[in-house]
Amino acid sequence: MQNYLRQTARRLPGKLALLAGKDRLSYQELDERSDHFAACLQARGVQRGDRVVLCLGNVPEMAIAFWATLKMGAVVCPIGGDLPPAKLEYVLRDSGAHTLVVTSDRKEDDLPGLLGRIPSLKQIIWESAPEEALPAGTISLRDVMQGPSPELVPSQHIDIDLAMIIYTSGSTGEPKGVMHTHRSMITAAESLGTYLDYQEADKVICALPLSFDYGLYQVILTARVGASLLLEKDVAWPVLFLKKIASEKATILPAVPTLFSLLCTQNKKFGLDLSSIRAVTNTGAALTQKHIDEIKVALPNAKIFSMYGLTECKRCTWLPPEDIDRKPGSVGFAIPNTELWIVDEAGQPLGANQPGQLVIRGGTVMRGYWKKPEKTAEKLKDGPLPGEKVLYTGDRCMVDEEGYLYFLGRMDQMIKSRGIKVSPKETEDFLYQHPAVKDAAVMGVPHPEFGDALYAFMTLVPGETTSLADLKAYCKSGLASPSVPEWLEIVPAFPLTPNGKFNYLALRERAIAATSAPELSSPQTIA
C-alpha cells in the first residue's frame, strides 16, 4: 500500500500532495517526513505487526503517521479525535496497541494513566506546539522527529499482512475492529480508481474525518495518481469551506448527504462560483432525490457518483452518473472485481425484486473482526469455492432486472408492529417525497399494544411550512398502517455522528424518553 506514495514522490517530487490550513507538503516532503517518522518509531521499539493508534483528526500529521505506520509494516488504527475516553481506552486495550499518537486537544484527559493500565501500551506521542507542556511520561511528536533521521529498516511485510484495523462506531454494542490487509486495501483503491477516475490534475477537497474509511481513502486515492488533497478539519463555518472550493478551484468533492445538503443550502445565500467541481462522490447514506436536485443546482458541472458500502468491505456498489435520473433510489451495481447477490433467511439466492440479505464476494472483504471469532463467523460464511469466505452484510436489499441494487434498510433495524415486519427506511423514503420535508429519520420504539411502532423525526425545507397532522395524513394516504409513524416530531436539526451521519442512537433515546412519559407534552409531537 505504501508504494503509492513512494512511486508518486519519485515521479512528481515537487507536486502539491497536501494542503491543510497554512501547511503545504509536496509529495517529496510527505514521503521524506513519513520515512523519518517510520524510522523514529522503529528506533522507539515499534515492530512489524504492532498496532499504532492514530487519534489526530484532519491534520497533516495524520497523513504522515498513516504512511509511516504502513512503511514499517505496523498496523494503523485510525480513530476519531473526539472519541470519549472510555472508548479510546477500549480501542487501545482491545487492539493491544503499542503506540498512541494523539492530538494535544486531549491533554485534559488522563491519558498517561493508560500507560500503567494497558500492558501493551509503551508510549504516547503528542502532536503539539513546541511551547506546550506535556504530561509526564509522554513525548512530543516534534521531539520524536528532531535531529537526523535514523536509518529506516525496510520491512519484510507482504500483501496479506494486516495494514489497518478500523473500529466500527459501536452504536449497537461494543466497537469491533475490522481487519484489512494491504491486499484488500489495494484492491479497493484500484477498484475505486477505475470508475471514479481521479487524475493527477485533480484537487480533492475533503472534510470527511480521516478516521472514517472513506475519508482516509482520499489520502490513498490522491497519492495513487498524484492528485492534491485539500484537507479541512471540519465544516463548522460552511462559507469558509465554500470559499476554499472557489479559491483553490477544487475539482472533486467527496461527502455524505448531510454535508452536501449543508453546503448547497449555504451557497444559496452566498452564490460562490463552484463550477470547478467536476465530480462529487457520496457514501455513508443514500442520496435522496432532493439531495440530487440541490447538487445539480449548486454544482452544475459535477458528475454525481452515488455509492454504497460498509466498513467490512469498503465500497460495494456504484451508480454511474448517467444513471442518476434513470434509476432513482438505486445505489448502482457491484464495483469492479466484486460480486453481489441477495439471499433469503435460509441463505438461498433470490431473484430480481425479491428483498433479502445482501452478500458480497471479492478481494475488498475484511479478514474478520480483531479478536472476535464468534462475531466474524456471523458475518463471514462459506462462499462458492472451497475455503472461501463471503460477507453477509446484514443489510436488507434487492436487485432489479438489470442488476441495480436498492438498499432497503438494516436488518437489525426492522421492527415487528401489529405482527407485521416493518422497514423504517420505507417510511423515511416516503416522507422525503413530501415537498416540505428536508430530512427524515425513522426508528422503532416500544409500544404497549403493537409491540413496536415507528417514531419519525423530520426537518423542514427552509421557507416551507406544514403541520404534524398534515404529515400524518400524508403518511396514511400512501403507507400501510404498520408503516405509518405512531409519533412524529419536527426538529430544527439532527444530531450527527463524527462521520456526518444521522445519530440514530441519540434520536432513538430521545424517542423512547418521549414515548415513555405519562403523556406526550411536546407541542411538536403527536400520537
Side-chain angles (χ1 to χ4, degrees):
M1 172 60 67
Q2 71 279 359
N3 288 337
Y4 283 145
L5 175 59
R6 183 85 71 201
Q7 292 164 1
T8 298
R10 290 172 180 168
R11 184 170 62 89
L12 301 167
K15 175 78 187 301
L16 177 66
L18 181 65
L19 171 64
K22 296 180 180 179
D23 295 311
R24 303 177 72 94
L25 293 179
S26 68
Y27 272 102
Q28 180 174 329
E29 290 169 328
L30 181 57
D31 189 44
E32 289 176 348
R33 291 191 192 184
S34 56
D35 272 355
H36 189 170
F37 189 39
C40 290
L41 287 178
Q42 283 182 334
R44 297 183 63 83
V46 182
Q47 301 178 13
R48 172 183 173 182
D50 283 343
R51 275 72 65 201
V52 178
V53 174
L54 305 181
C55 183
L56 290 170
N58 285 21
V59 294
E61 289 79 7
M62 180 69 175
I64 292 168
F66 169 74
W67 290 115
T69 303
L70 296 182
K71 285 179 175 182
M72 57 183 297
V75 181
V76 63
C77 301
I79 61 174
D82 57 352
L83 198 69
K87 283 198 173 182
L88 172 59
E89 181 167 351
Y90 172 86
V91 169
L92 293 168
R93 192 180 298 278
D94 184 71
S95 65
H98 178 285
T99 296
L100 168 64
V101 188
V102 63
T103 174
S104 58
D105 294 341
R106 304 289 303 240
K107 283 199 302 181
E108 297 302 317
D109 298 335
D110 181 28
L111 298 187
L114 300 174
L115 291 168
R117 295 198 300 271
I118 301 176
S120 66
L121 189 63
K122 305 304 180 187
Q123 58 187 341
I124 296 176
I125 301 173
W126 298 89
E127 176 270 319
S128 60
E131 67 278 3
E132 286 186 279
L134 298 178
T138 64
I139 189 170
S140 164
L141 178 59
R142 286 171 172 79
D143 290 338
V144 171
M145 298 282 282
Q146 268 186 349
S149 173
E151 182 179 353
L152 176 61
V153 179
S155 172
Q156 301 303 311
H157 67 277
I158 58 178
D159 69 348
I160 60 172
D161 283 336
L162 279 189
M164 180 167 68
I165 299 174
I166 187 163
Y167 278 81
T168 61
S169 63
S171 59
T172 58
E174 65 182 18
K176 299 184 290 291
V178 177
M179 297 187 289
H180 280 289
T181 64
H182 285 263
R183 179 183 294 177
S184 67
M185 292 180 70
I186 291 170
T187 300
E190 294 296 321
S191 184
L192 288 165
T194 297
Y195 63 85
L196 293 181
D197 192 30
Y198 282 27
Q199 299 170 12
E200 184 180 311
D202 277 321
K203 293 181 177 180
V204 180
I205 186 161
C206 177
L208 298 172
L210 300 189
S211 56
F212 177 32
D213 63 344
Y214 194 56
L216 188 61
Y217 262 73
Q218 304 312 311
V219 176
I220 299 168
L221 292 170
T222 51
R224 175 179 173 269
V225 298
S228 299
L229 180 62
L230 314 180
L231 190 59
E232 295 294 307
K233 285 188 176 182
D234 53 44
V235 196
W237 297 95
V239 65
L240 298 182
F241 187 87
L242 292 167
K243 286 181 177 179
K244 178 65 70 68
I245 292 175
S247 64
E248 294 291 338
K249 302 297 181 185
T251 60
I252 295 179
L253 172 60
V256 293
T258 53
L259 179 55
F260 283 126
S261 183
L262 173 64
L263 295 177
C264 291
T265 299
Q266 288 293 307
N267 205 46
K268 288 179 182 178
K269 300 178 184 177
F270 299 103
L272 294 169
D273 181 6
L274 309 180
S275 60
S276 62
I277 296 291
R278 71 171 187 84
V280 298
T281 68
N282 172 76
T283 190
L287 290 171
T288 67
Q289 189 60 51
K290 287 182 180 177
H291 292 137
I292 292 168
D293 291 342
E294 286 180 327
I295 292 170
K296 287 180 178 178
V297 172
L299 305 167
N301 295 331
K303 292 182 178 180
I304 302 173
F305 290 85
S306 180
M307 297 180 288
Y308 155 83
L310 59 165
T311 308
E312 287 82 354
C313 64
K314 301 293 178 268
R315 306 284 71 74
C316 303
T317 69
W318 73 291
L319 183 66
E322 58 269 25
D323 288 332
I324 200 77
D325 294 320
R326 189 175 73 88
K327 290 289 184 178
S330 174
V331 288
F333 43 75
I335 66 174
N337 201 29
T338 295
E339 186 177 0
L340 63 82
W341 60 91
I342 309 296
V343 298
D344 61 18
E345 293 182 358
Q348 296 302 306
L350 294 171
N353 301 313
Q354 293 182 289
Q357 182 172 187
L358 175 67
V359 179
I360 298 292
R361 177 177 185 242
T364 63
V365 170
M366 68 172 179
R367 175 69 61 87
Y369 294 121
W370 176 260
K371 292 171 55 179
K372 288 182 170 55
E374 298 84 3
K375 294 291 185 183
T376 298
E378 292 174 6
K379 287 286 189 178
L380 298 183
K381 301 182 185 296
D382 292 339
L385 299 178
E388 180 188 15
K389 295 294 182 182
V390 295
L391 177 67
Y392 279 63
T393 63
D395 287 343
R396 186 170 179 266
C397 301
M398 70 178 185
V399 295
D400 65 15
E401 296 83 355
E402 296 182 73
Y404 285 75
L405 187 75
Y406 295 79
F407 174 74
L408 304 177
R410 292 285 304 165
M411 295 180 67
D412 57 13
Q413 292 175 348
M414 295 283 290
I415 70 166
K416 199 166 189 178
S417 184
R418 309 175 199 182
I420 298 174
K421 287 186 176 181
V422 175
S423 169
K425 188 174 185 301
E426 178 186 358
T427 305
E428 282 183 4
D429 290 344
F430 188 75
L431 283 168
Y432 269 113
Q433 296 174 38
H434 191 284
V437 174
K438 181 174 179 59
D439 288 306
V442 180
M443 62 220 60
V445 297
H447 189 282
E449 297 178 21
F450 304 152
D452 285 309
L454 296 180
Y455 195 114
F457 291 96
M458 294 153 290
T459 61
L460 299 184
V461 174
E464 294 285 346
T465 59
T466 188
S467 71
L468 291 168
D470 286 344
L471 287 168
K472 192 156 190 176
Y474 167 74
C475 290
K476 287 181 176 179
S477 72
L479 292 169
S481 293
S483 295
V484 174
E486 193 68 13
W487 303 279
L488 301 94
E489 182 174 353
I490 296 171
V491 293
F494 285 118
L496 302 178
T497 68
N499 297 344
K501 302 177 186 179
F502 294 160
N503 190 332
Y504 277 85
L505 183 61
L507 288 169
R508 189 168 189 272
E509 289 174 352
R510 174 171 172 163
I512 290 174
T515 56
S516 299
E519 58 185 48
L520 300 177
S521 58
S522 168
Q524 291 185 308
T525 308
I526 63 172

